[in-house]
Amino acid sequence: MATKWVSLDKLRYAISKIHTLLQGKVDKVDGKGLSANDLTAALKGNYDAAYTHSQAAHAPAAAEKNIIVGVQVNGSDLTPDGSRKVNVRVPTGALAGKSQVSETDLDDALKEKVNSASEGNHSHNNKAVLDQIEQADLDKLDGIAAGANKYVHPTSSGSKHVPTGGASGQILRWSADGTAVWGADNDTKYTDMSGASASAAGKAGLVPAPAAGGQAKYLRGDGTWQTPPDTKYSPATQSANGLMSAADKTKLDGFGTASSYALKSDITQMYRYKGSVSDASKLPASGQVAGDVYDIQAASSYGPAGTNVAWNGTAWDALGGAFTIEECTNAEIDQIFTDLAAG
């Protein structure tokens, strides 16, 4: 079947047919579906009452009467005795109703024992010694590390102190492993460097001081401060090295990165038109390379007449062919609606 297109007039025709078909539809009514099922007022009232009742809270099926199922004292369960009774003992003495006990609540014998214990009127081993320990003594003991002992400074290598003695201008010098002695500091003097010549090498030394006003000069290999030569370069040409001109820099900036350009190896893989053949059987069976393109004049398994094929390295691959686009007719649109109505 040929590919066809729909003009604006044909589109208007199709829309008018859709509009005609829609005239027989059932309009939607708010609150109802496609089929109505009306209720009488009495039946509607029963339905509303049943729905309201279904939304109300109800007691669970496993609910029990409001009865005591056990007794606890301070969180512990009490077990009934043989007579199915639970006896909860409640203090009834003078202290039963008090949350705290004071000294006046104690009898004389108990009061004397408590006071004797709190005032230190008791005996134990080393009591005479312990009674002399005060809080300050305990604080000192808390500040001593476990296993602490009298400190003795080591005298081994690396732990010795600076030796006594010495005089102005002296320094500590090595004497033995871990031992230093005072001694005079060596007065090492350095000479200025000597520059190189055409026949002799220079010698290392101190850099000679530049004279006032020589801040722009440089130290040359001959050991003297010199003004840098003013070397000027001309723009580069095809035959001589030089600086890049502004015009050449502008041209260079106009190019993209190297990766944005095709390589020669990329170009060799492009399609190459090789000619036409009358039918598919005339396509080359040997000697073709990837990218070779032929036009097949007759219709074939690759497509309609005029189809182009390219060799992909293992087989001929269709690139597409010519096809005709026709305008659809009213009769064809009518047939589409007929087919849709028939299911």
Side-chain angles (χ1 to χ4, degrees):
M1 178 184 294
T3 302
K4 297 191 176 184
W5 60 280
V6 178
S7 67
L8 185 59
D9 288 338
K10 295 300 185 291
L11 181 60
R12 289 194 183 97
Y13 173 76
I15 293 175
S16 67
K17 288 188 68 68
I18 295 174
H19 178 72
T20 300
L21 293 174
L22 290 177
Q23 298 306 309
K25 72 176 180 63
V26 177
D27 292 333
K28 181 179 181 300
V29 177
D30 291 340
K32 294 186 178 181
L34 293 179
S35 61
N37 187 10
D38 296 329
L39 300 176
T40 64
L43 187 58
K44 178 67 166 56
N46 293 338
Y47 171 80
D48 292 340
Y51 177 78
T52 302
H53 178 74
S54 68
Q55 301 300 308
H58 297 83
E64 297 180 354
K65 293 182 178 179
N66 187 19
I67 61 175
I68 297 175
V69 297
V71 178
Q72 291 184 328
V73 175
N74 296 330
S76 300
D77 292 335
L78 295 182
T79 303
D81 56 18
S83 63
R84 294 178 294 172
K85 296 180 180 180
V86 176
N87 183 26
V88 180
R89 295 185 180 276
V90 179
T92 58
L95 302 180
K98 294 187 176 183
S99 60
Q100 294 183 346
V101 178
S102 62
E103 181 179 348
T104 58
D105 295 325
L106 303 178
D107 58 28
D108 294 338
L110 181 57
K111 185 187 304 182
E112 182 178 356
K113 291 180 180 180
V114 172
N115 290 335
S116 297
S118 63
E119 294 173 0
N121 298 326
H122 58 282
S123 61
H124 50 74
N125 294 336
N126 299 324
K127 181 177 184 303
V129 176
L130 296 177
D131 287 344
Q132 299 178 14
I133 296 179
E134 298 181 354
Q135 186 60 44
D137 298 323
L138 296 176
D139 293 340
K140 291 179 181 179
L141 292 175
D142 289 340
I144 300 176
N149 202 346
K150 183 178 179 181
Y151 176 75
V152 177
H153 187 74
T155 58
S156 58
S157 176
S159 301
K160 298 179 180 180
H161 292 292
V162 176
T164 59
S168 176
Q170 289 186 327
I171 61 173
L172 283 176
R173 296 181 176 277
W174 181 89
S175 174
D177 181 23
T179 303
V181 296
W182 292 103
D185 187 10
N186 293 332
D187 185 12
T188 303
K189 296 182 179 180
Y190 298 92
T191 59
D192 289 346
M193 62 168 285
S194 59
S197 64
S199 59
K203 294 182 180 180
L206 299 177
V207 174
Q215 67 274 9
K217 295 183 178 181
Y218 74 99
L219 184 62
R220 202 166 60 179
D222 60 0
T224 61
W225 292 95
Q226 300 292 332
T227 300
D230 185 11
T231 305
K232 295 182 180 180
Y233 299 93
S234 302
T237 65
Q238 294 183 352
S239 58
N241 296 328
L243 299 176
M244 177 183 292
S245 64
D248 290 341
K249 183 62 170 62
T250 301
K251 294 178 182 178
L252 182 61
D253 290 342
F255 288 96
T257 59
S259 59
S260 63
Y261 296 96
L263 302 176
K264 182 178 180 181
S265 57
D266 298 329
I267 298 176
T268 58
Q269 301 299 320
M270 295 177 62
Y271 291 134
R272 296 174 298 277
Y273 182 73
K274 305 297 288 187
S276 298
V277 293
S278 58
D279 56 66
S281 64
K282 302 300 190 297
L283 290 171
S286 61
Q288 65 273 25
V289 296
D292 287 354
V293 177
Y294 283 88
D295 170 58
I296 305 176
Q297 297 176 353
S300 66
S301 59
Y302 296 105
T307 297
N308 292 327
V309 294
W311 183 254
N312 60 15
T314 56
W316 291 104
D317 186 18
L319 299 178
F323 60 93
T324 303
I325 300 178
E326 301 176 357
E327 182 183 10
C328 67
T329 64
N330 290 348
E332 290 172 328
I333 295 176
D334 291 340
Q335 186 60 45
I336 291 174
F337 281 94
T338 300
D339 295 340
L340 293 174

